[in-house]
Amino acid sequence: MNNKLNNISTLFKSFLTVKNSYKGGKGIVPKNQNQKVYKLSSNENPIGTSPMAIEAIKNNLKDLHLYPDTTDIRLRKALEVYYNYQLKAEQFVCAASGSELLDLIVRGFVREGEEVIVSTPCFVPYKMFSRWAGATIIDVPLFIEDYGLDVEGIVNAISNKTRIIFLTSPNNPTGSYIPKDVFEDFMFKIPSNIVVVFDEVYWHFAEANDYVRALPYISQYPNIIAINSFSKTYGLAALRVGYAYTNKEVANYLHQICKPFLITKLSLQGAIAALKDVFFIKRTMNIIKNERIFLQSQFEKMCIDYYPSQANFFLINPPIPADDFVKYLAEEGIAVRPVENFGAVGKVRISIGNREANEALIKAIKKINILATNS
Ligand SMILES: *Cc1c(COP(=O)(O)O)cnc(C)c1O
């Protein structure tokens, strides 16, 4: 028996035998009936889901025995309208989540032994999916002081094996962003035969004057692929749906490796409806922006060392060791995220919640501060 198993295990691909698989932001179980719990660990929408999406999903519940659309074309057409025809339907690629698109792109462009460049701290799937493709991951970390992009470092790290460079703006887990001049300098210096994945899933929350999306650069640079998700702003994390936009040739290529029936019917209908829910999107954006200012001022009052954020979360240096901090808040009914595996050792990421959740968070941190100064 054992011998047979050993024979089979010689077939395992070494780069697929991963030591630690991805752990999502944890929720917590209330200690008792009276404890309220707040999940501030996965950057989810604090006001829930687009009501228009929920309505559309309900209307489709009677057809669950039928296969969904074979392709994503209806969502692509809805995106064309959403983007005011600045992009054509043929420039979009939709899939069962933003993460799925990242995987699709890696599979589409990276062969075993080739290289990708990431800038840690960054979203873990960039590294995970690249490793699954047998790629070598080159890390050019963000600058330590402000988590800015090290353009020169990236340019110097490029080799003839480089296939993809992952950029994220606003970045998860740091909340930092890539200013317009930095991005333009970057694009100017990067060879056009390297795919630049521009992950902009948090763009709705960015307010900086010099924040840019990939959108205005798509026609100029055929090597950019922008990543978007319905998980965050639209509150559809459970449905797993996202989209990319790029130039027509790249989109066509990626369509060829999309599995048929990839997006469920409920996801497709939900996403199409959510795109039109202007009121919900506006409300989400306003709440995040307001609560971000509120939390920031509270952090300052409590002398919590935080990084400025353009996203719906904050990265902080907790007043006590990160693991203790996370455990302590969990006891208080608040789930937050340690981000050591993102490359931010000793730091914690806290999603921006609604006012009630944020106040519970502040109250709990105040208690820790008292404990920390008394010990
Ligand atoms: C959440 C997130 C995504 C996409 O999430 P999905 O739920 O897979 O659509 C992509 N990139 C970053 C940086 C994220 O934080």
Side-chain angles (χ1 to χ4, degrees), residues 63-322:
D63 288 334
L64 294 184
H65 59 297
L66 300 175
Y67 272 93
D69 297 7
T70 331
T71 74
D72 59 348
I73 184 64
R74 278 200 297 143
L75 181 50
R76 283 196 265 140
K77 288 202 168 134
L79 284 162
E80 183 181 73
V81 175
Y82 175 78
Y83 280 90
N84 286 317
Y85 303 92
Q86 280 173 281
L87 296 167
K88 297 208 176 87
E90 61 197 14
Q91 290 180 269
F92 294 98
V93 186
C94 308
S97 79
S99 304
E100 179 77 30
L101 282 156
L102 293 168
D103 186 44
L104 201 73
I105 292 163
V106 170
R107 282 191 280 123
F109 289 99
V110 185
R111 292 172 185 82
E112 212 179 312
E114 293 180 337
E115 294 170 4
V116 306
I117 297 178
V118 300
S119 295
T120 57
C122 69
F123 191 47
V124 177
Y126 306 152
K127 291 189 268 185
M128 188 163 77
F129 301 157
S130 299
R131 196 169 45 211
W132 290 350
T136 303
I137 295 147
I138 310 290
D139 182 16
V140 181
L142 298 175
F143 292 126
I144 294 171
E145 319 79 60
D146 60 354
Y147 289 130
L149 189 71
D150 182 358
V151 176
E152 287 312 312
I154 292 177
V155 169
N156 293 331
I158 288 173
S159 79
N160 58 8
K161 288 186 184 164
T162 309
R163 295 296 171 263
I164 299 179
I165 302 171
F166 290 96
L167 303 183
T168 324
S169 183
N171 186 45
N172 179 7
T174 60
S176 53
Y177 71 105
I178 304 169
K180 185 171 198 261
D181 56 341
V182 175
F183 181 62
E184 290 183 354
D185 179 45
F186 172 88
M187 286 312 300
F188 180 73
K189 288 173 175 159
I190 297 304
S192 57
N193 63 350
I194 295 176
V195 172
V196 175
V197 170
F198 191 106
D199 186 335
E200 54 182 30
V201 303
Y202 296 104
W203 75 263
H204 288 94
F205 309 126
E207 281 192 296
N209 288 331
D210 56 351
Y211 172 76
V212 280
R213 295 183 66 188
L215 188 58
Y217 301 95
I218 288 295
S219 54
Q220 189 184 350
Y221 294 105
N223 54 329
I224 299 178
I225 309 177
I227 303 288
N228 281 267
S229 170
F230 286 91
S231 299
K232 312 283 160 60
T233 314
Y234 300 94
L236 289 173
L239 285 193
R240 316 307 300 128
V241 54
Y243 68 92
Y245 61 81
T246 179
N247 72 89
K248 190 177 131 188
E249 282 71 31
V250 172
N252 256 338
Y253 173 60
L254 293 173
H255 287 146
Q256 290 170 44
I257 53 170
C258 283
K259 291 163 193 142
F261 312 111
L262 178 62
I263 306 174
T264 73
K265 178 173 294 190
L266 302 185
S267 309
L268 200 65
Q269 295 296 145
I272 290 170
L275 275 180
K276 294 188 195 127
D277 201 340
V278 180
F279 180 71
F280 179 81
I281 301 168
K282 263 262 148 344
R283 221 179 117 222
T284 299
M285 289 164 76
N286 286 340
I287 285 175
I288 293 298
K289 287 169 187 174
N290 278 336
E291 291 305 304
R292 191 163 61 196
I293 295 169
F294 173 69
L295 268 184
Q296 189 167 322
S297 67
Q298 293 294 322
F299 286 159
E300 260 152 36
K301 276 191 202 154
M302 297 187 294
C303 297
I304 292 290
D305 186 13
Y306 70 93
Y307 293 86
S309 173
Q310 291 288 312
N312 62 342
F313 53 83
F314 278 102
L315 186 71
I316 69 157
N317 282 307
I320 55 175

